[in-house]
Amino acid sequence: MKKELHFERAEFAARVAAVKSEMGRRGIDILLLSEPANHNYLTGYNAYSFYTPQMVIVALNHDEPIWIGRFMDRISALMTTYLTDENIRAYSDRYVQSALSPYDFVADVAKELGGEKARIGVEMGGYYYSARAHADLVRALPLAQFVDADVLVNWIRIVKSPAEISIMRQAGRIADAMMERAIDTIEPGVRECDVAAAVYHQMMSGTPEFGGAYACTPPYLCIGERQIAPHAAWTDEPLPASTTINLELFGNRHRYQVNLSRSISVGKPASSYYKLADVVVEALNAGLESVRPGRTCSEVEDAFRHTLARHGFEKEARLGYSIGVGFPPAVGERTASLRKGDQTLLRPGMVFHMMPGLWLDDVGITITQSFAVTDRGHEPLTSTPRKLFVK
């Protein structure tokens, strides 16, 4: 059976070793991971199967992680992970959407690893760790001590390897192709849903060199009055002769996602909107130029904020967030943010989406840049010009 692995075994081993080191520092014997992005990061696992309970277990006394999932998804674990057969565990279908709890199965595997009285870390804030999951595990392992290990792996993921950065460059090129396709498609009379369809086609088609994959979220087409809503959905209405479109797209390659937003004016916009675009781009560039290893996320946000303030504007939301491996519902790693007060030190290999979107009372504008922190500054991961596009 052909393995669909995108990294060398040595890289996976280094990731697991880093997680075990942090577990040891925190006194955690067994780590139960529910987040699909962390499953992918530590094992390579990739399938749309996380709508049923799924876990990866990392134990200090066990060499490899153990994947646990539904019986029919075992084949995907064999195809997409480096794990040996004995470390791929599948529960039967009788556990799926029934009165039985698959977390009893998870608990039994944990017991094999000495988890009956162990200190067990769980992702209390994870999107895929429910209150029922926690209650069932506590019931099944009453003598264990459960501790919150949320974002333990996420903070290790925050610094990307050269191999990861290489894949994210490809994701950025897909995002550029998607944006180019969207801008080419946008014309008066074209239905909003047909713009979305063109974007989706390009998302999957990718570039002539490599294809894409589904993103963590749908693309956002914030059109007309919805330009002041950051995460609006499209309709089947035709585009009018004069309107504004705020478009946020996501290129995804091997589950690594790069975000890209641009504002497109259908018809000539007001002169004040041109000026607003110039202000946002000036502040965005100031933020990017301030990026250096050793500076804090807060210092980068400060450079942006002060530039914006000179023109009389203020951005209430954070300026950006760390990105990388992504599964629905969101690509953000839930770690560092480019915001006032975040003292996270920038390190080479970190990747952020700098999102200086402004949603004002009657207009919105989104011109953004995803970038990797380098030894001397930053590397843009997309090449679409940072400007207002006019059709």
Side-chain angles (χ1 to χ4, degrees):
M1 181 181 293
K2 182 181 178 182
K3 291 282 189 179
E4 300 172 11
L5 291 171
H6 305 297
F7 300 98
E8 299 293 330
R9 283 290 302 273
E11 178 148 344
F12 284 114
R15 296 173 183 180
V16 173
V19 169
K20 287 186 176 183
S21 176
E22 181 62 16
M23 290 169 60
R25 191 184 72 81
R26 299 191 191 189
I28 295 172
D29 305 303
I30 293 174
L31 183 63
L32 303 182
L33 297 168
S34 59
E35 289 295 282
N38 291 335
H39 299 177
N40 178 271
Y41 181 73
L42 293 178
T43 73
Y45 184 77
N46 183 18
Y48 203 99
S49 56
F50 41 84
Y51 61 91
T52 57
Q54 193 168 277
M55 282 280 181
V56 164
I57 300 181
V58 180
L60 292 181
N61 64 357
H62 196 76
D63 288 341
E64 286 186 356
I66 296 176
W67 176 91
I68 300 174
R70 192 179 184 184
F71 82 99
M72 65 174 59
D73 297 310
R74 183 177 184 276
I75 189 67
S76 291
L78 290 170
M79 288 179 172
T80 64
T81 78
Y82 61 88
L83 302 176
T84 56
D85 286 2
E86 62 266 26
N87 291 323
I88 296 173
R89 308 291 186 90
Y91 55 81
S92 70
D93 207 57
R94 67 193 183 96
Y95 285 101
V96 177
Q97 297 176 5
S98 76
L100 300 176
S101 173
Y103 296 102
D104 287 332
F105 187 96
V106 172
D108 287 341
V109 177
K111 289 174 184 177
E112 290 179 30
L113 301 169
E116 195 161 6
K117 297 182 180 180
R119 184 174 164 90
I120 299 176
V122 292
E123 296 176 305
M124 293 295 287
Y127 297 119
Y128 296 92
Y129 191 70
S130 67
R132 174 57 60 82
H134 190 68
D136 286 354
L137 285 168
V138 170
R139 172 187 51 75
L141 295 165
L143 301 181
Q145 179 188 1
F146 286 86
V147 297
D148 186 8
D150 194 32
V151 301
L152 182 156
V153 177
N154 306 47
W155 277 107
I156 292 169
R157 283 169 38 204
I158 195 171
V159 176
K160 278 68 181 175
S161 69
E164 289 178 288
I165 296 293
S166 179
I167 290 175
M168 294 194 77
R169 291 189 187 107
Q170 295 178 351
R173 288 178 59 189
I174 293 171
D176 283 327
M178 292 167 63
M179 187 61 73
E180 181 179 5
R181 179 76 175 274
I183 293 170
D184 288 345
T185 303
I186 289 169
E187 296 287 352
V190 174
R191 295 185 304 170
E192 294 179 15
C193 55
D194 291 327
V195 178
V199 166
Y200 266 106
H201 180 273
Q202 200 66 52
M203 182 193 302
M204 302 308 167
S205 181
T207 75
E209 295 79 20
F210 41 80
Y214 68 89
C216 300
T217 66
Y220 300 128
L221 277 72
C222 307
I223 301 172
E225 291 184 348
R226 285 177 280 118
Q227 68 181 277
I228 61 174
H231 306 120
W234 60 84
T235 74
D236 57 4
E237 291 295 313
L239 297 175
S242 179
T243 193
T244 299
I245 301 171
N246 288 329
L247 190 58
E248 185 169 5
L249 307 178
F250 316 101
N252 195 294
R253 174 72 170 161
H254 300 321
R255 301 313 321 149
Y256 284 80
Q257 185 164 303
V258 169
N259 301 24
L260 173 62
S261 297
R262 289 294 181 270
S263 292
I264 303 103
S265 177
V266 179
K268 186 176 181 180
S271 59
S272 59
Y273 196 70
Y274 274 116
K275 292 178 182 177
L276 180 62
D278 289 342
V279 168
V280 168
V281 171
E282 179 187 348
L284 170 62
N285 289 337
L288 291 169
E289 289 163 7
S290 74
V291 172
R292 295 287 187 281
R295 287 187 176 166
T296 66
C297 289
S298 184
E299 288 174 315
V300 172
E301 192 274 346
D302 185 69
F304 167 84
R305 178 163 40 87
H306 276 80
T307 303
L308 199 64
R310 289 204 303 269
H311 298 279
F313 293 99
E314 180 181 359
K315 178 177 170 64
E316 180 180 357
R318 62 181 175 174
L319 174 60
Y321 43 87
S322 177
I323 59 175
V325 180
F327 283 80
V331 67
E333 293 182 316
R334 300 194 295 124
T335 52
S337 291
L338 302 175
R339 62 158 47 111
K340 185 177 181 179
D342 190 321
Q343 298 303 310
T344 303
L345 294 176
L346 299 183
R347 296 164 60 189
M350 289 182 172
V351 180
F352 292 88
H353 180 216
M354 188 176 285
M355 213 303 177
L358 293 180
W359 299 278
L360 308 176
D361 290 339
D362 55 353
V363 296
I365 191 161
T366 55
I367 301 173
T368 76
Q369 185 64 61
S370 291
F371 67 92
V373 180
T374 66
D375 290 337
R376 297 185 178 182
H378 77 281
E379 174 192 349
L381 294 177
T382 59
S383 59
T384 300
R386 296 193 285 267
K387 68 173 188 177
L388 171 67
F389 285 84
V390 179
K391 292 295 299 277

